[in-house]
Amino acid sequence: MSGTRAEGHTAQDGGRPPGIDELLERVRAGYTRVEAQEAHDAWRSGDALLVDIRYAALRARDGLIPGALVVERNELEWRLDPRGSHRLPEATHHDLRVIVVCNEGYASSLAAESLHRLGLHRATDLVGGFQAWRAAGLPVTTAAA
């Protein structure tokens, strides 16, 4: 029965809910994640929309990816659903390639999976998140005060 608490559980796991590490493993098996340079290249070529879901304090502390769309995590699905009444102008179709960026690449995996559920089948996330982007020497700007 769909929507039950046991949904997604198997006999192999004894009917127990997965822990976060197992959940991340399952989620990430459903799509191909991207490394920082690949994300940068896809964004520069116009093949992908970079979406930064980090909260304001992290953006203020560490800076921004120039050109990335900032969408707080709690608004992501509403802003990127192409059929949604609160969608952003960039959310034009379900074939949109979205690369979700969080701080270290954990929350973004769960966010990408949520976008898949909305039909954004090309949604993915950045391995290592913003920290990997910065460590790769890719562009970062200071957050506006």
Side-chain angles (χ1 to χ4, degrees):
M1 174 182 273
S2 181
T4 65
R5 291 176 62 108
E7 188 175 308
H9 305 270
T10 65
Q12 292 174 326
D13 64 16
R16 291 184 319 265
I20 189 61
D21 293 328
E22 182 181 346
L23 179 61
L24 280 171
E25 186 177 317
R26 287 181 188 180
V27 163
R28 290 170 174 169
Y31 63 90
T32 303
R33 302 176 78 208
V34 297
E35 299 288 337
Q37 189 62 55
E38 181 183 354
H40 180 260
D41 294 346
W43 169 76
R44 286 202 58 198
S45 71
D47 182 46
L49 179 66
L50 285 179
V51 179
D52 186 345
I53 64 168
R54 293 175 301 140
Y55 52 89
L58 287 176
R59 294 191 312 267
R61 182 189 76 190
D62 294 338
L64 301 166
I65 297 172
L69 185 63
V70 174
V71 179
E72 296 275 341
R73 174 62 190 99
N74 63 327
E75 296 182 355
L76 184 68
E77 292 81 358
W78 284 267
R79 300 297 187 210
L80 292 183
D81 179 1
R83 296 187 316 206
S85 59
H86 298 336
R87 73 174 180 83
L88 293 169
E90 294 86 352
T92 55
H93 53 84
H94 286 93
D95 198 40
L96 181 65
R97 184 175 185 202
V98 176
I99 302 173
V100 183
V101 180
C102 68
N103 193 49
E104 295 181 341
Y106 296 100
S108 57
S109 295
L110 299 175
E113 193 268 342
S114 183
L115 294 177
H116 277 250
R117 289 182 181 199
L118 286 175
L120 292 158
H121 63 97
R122 296 180 70 206
T124 187
D125 75 313
L126 176 60
V127 175
F130 178 85
Q131 298 306 323
W133 177 279
R134 184 170 61 182
L138 295 171
V140 173
T141 61
T142 304

